[in-house]
Amino acid sequence: AYAAPARSIAETVARLLAEAGEDATALRDKADLETDERRVFGLLIDTDNTDTDADAIAAVAPGHSRVLDASAAGYRVFTTAYDRELRPDAGVRRAQLDAWRAQLDARVAAQGLNLPRLARQLKALLAAPVQDGWDGALEEGLIDGRSLSQLVTSPTERRLFRQARAEPQADCVLGFLIDCSGSMRQHIESVAMLVDVFARALDLAGVASEVLGFSTGAWQGGRAARDWQRAGKPPQPGRLNETAQLVFKDADTTWRHARRGIAALLRAELFREGVDGEALAWAAARLRARPERRRLLVVISDGCPMDSATAQANDAPYLDHHLQQVAAGIEAAGDVELAAIGVELDHSPYYGRCQALDLAQGLGNRVFDEVIGCLAARRRR
């Protein structure tokens, strides 16, 4: 029912752009974008017409960029002059952070979650036995040289042995990377609660954690796009926006000291567009710099990468294709275990280990069990 009006709108927009005198290259890029959007729209229609459950969660439809394939240099960035790494809680009034924190605390309390149980599950999953001294005066095990004199003084003594004592220790760091694009704003309170509870449980389990996010500094490319226009609009400039990499909690800060920083996830002006591939590479690099032996990175997103300026100046799947390349590279390297949580969307076309969540039903213990099940899986594409 929507197809005919959607096509009419697309044709009207194309005609207006042609009348405005856009060059042939831009028109071809917009035609590619329209074709890709119709393909995704057709996929959604086909999904509705199948015999599967009507409530089934849809999967993303990844694209393939001809521009990225044709580039000898690979993925390109027009300028990094305006890219920023930010602490979102900086510059926010203390009273506002306290209000957001109270809002999150109220949501967590209302869910009735079993936090000690979650911490035990995480410790069992992420900890490994490490030798922590010896237990002596045993009747079996390895001979304890310090007790050999008892063979002379007390020949019937049997407690001459010792055994290594192993304690579970979590030499591990787990990072959350949250998509802060505009579409995630409607889900962000539930997502903030999810990562907040996990950060607190990971602290109890002795596991370091990071809460990161990514967005852009502006809509429609911002200053980067204006520089490109002043340079004469060279073709296929690559990524054409100012990225904003967000640190809500770093791995060296405990949950108690990062509570207000995590609450800054509710800051509405953060949510713009998303350059997922670069953010994924940035988060993985942060974990690689950590001393822990095991590193896990969990991406939380509700869709595909999207930056309108980049899509119009290159082709629509440019950022989408780059995300596939980065995810495949991290999984192949193996030094960072990669997983994804899809917010009402299946991300299996991007990630070999993923779990789709329906946050509309609330965040009970079942949802946290599903996330732990995703972390426990070791499937690769």
Side-chain angles (χ1 to χ4, degrees), residues 46-327:
D46 291 342
T47 300
D48 289 341
N49 290 334
T50 61
D51 294 331
T52 57
D53 184 1
D55 294 331
I57 294 179
V60 295
H64 194 83
S65 170
R66 292 191 296 272
V67 171
L68 191 54
D69 274 344
S71 174
Y75 180 78
R76 298 178 58 190
V77 177
F78 182 73
T79 179
T80 60
Y82 309 109
D83 296 348
R84 297 290 183 268
E85 182 176 307
L86 307 171
R87 292 271 182 171
D89 58 333
V92 179
R93 292 181 297 109
R94 178 69 173 265
Q96 180 63 75
L97 289 174
D98 288 342
W100 287 334
R101 185 64 245 179
Q103 184 178 341
L104 274 184
D105 289 341
R107 278 288 306 272
V108 173
Q111 295 298 321
L113 300 171
N114 190 336
L115 194 64
R117 171 178 172 268
L118 179 60
R120 289 193 298 270
Q121 287 178 302
L122 288 168
K123 188 167 186 177
L125 174 64
L126 302 176
V130 176
Q131 183 174 336
D132 184 28
W134 296 85
D135 291 324
L138 302 175
E139 294 189 358
E140 59 181 6
L142 302 175
I143 294 177
D144 189 348
R146 296 171 301 179
S147 302
L148 288 178
S149 60
Q150 296 182 29
L151 287 174
V152 177
T153 59
S154 180
T156 60
E157 179 60 62
R158 292 177 174 270
R159 294 173 296 178
L160 307 173
F161 303 91
R162 66 175 184 170
Q163 293 181 3
R165 180 173 60 250
E167 293 290 337
Q169 293 183 10
D171 188 12
C172 176
V173 58
L174 193 155
F176 293 97
L177 178 63
I178 302 169
D179 175 8
C180 293
S181 59
S183 60
M184 277 286 285
R185 188 182 302 175
Q186 61 181 320
H187 306 295
I188 197 58
E189 186 173 335
S190 295
V191 171
M193 176 188 155
L194 181 76
V195 298
D196 183 71
V197 171
F198 264 109
R200 186 175 180 182
L202 287 165
D203 262 15
L204 294 176
V207 179
S209 65
E210 285 203 321
V211 179
L212 309 173
F214 63 95
S215 183
T216 57
W219 294 97
Q220 300 289 333
R223 291 168 291 182
R226 290 195 290 273
D227 284 355
W228 173 67
Q229 292 167 358
R230 284 192 288 267
K233 297 184 179 180
Q236 301 172 2
R239 189 256 292 170
L240 204 59
N241 205 329
E242 16 182 312
T243 60
Q245 316 294 19
L246 311 173
V247 181
F248 299 96
K249 175 189 180 299
D250 60 58
D252 292 321
T253 305
T254 63
W255 171 83
R256 184 175 298 278
H257 290 94
R259 293 172 70 248
R260 291 184 179 85
I262 295 173
L265 273 163
L266 303 182
R267 186 175 175 180
E269 61 266 28
L270 297 176
F271 297 86
R272 294 188 179 93
E273 300 185 88
V275 183
D276 299 45
E278 288 187 57
L280 185 58
W282 165 71
R286 285 180 62 94
L287 293 184
R288 289 188 179 109
R290 297 288 306 171
E292 290 83 2
R293 295 180 59 186
R294 187 177 180 190
R295 309 173 185 96
L296 294 93
L297 178 58
V298 179
V299 182
I300 303 177
S301 176
D302 71 337
C304 305
M306 186 57 203
D307 172 54
S308 54
T310 301
Q312 292 171 12
N314 299 275
D315 60 7
Y318 190 77
L319 295 177
D320 191 62
H321 192 172
H322 180 240
L323 171 60
Q324 296 174 61
Q325 291 180 337
V326 174

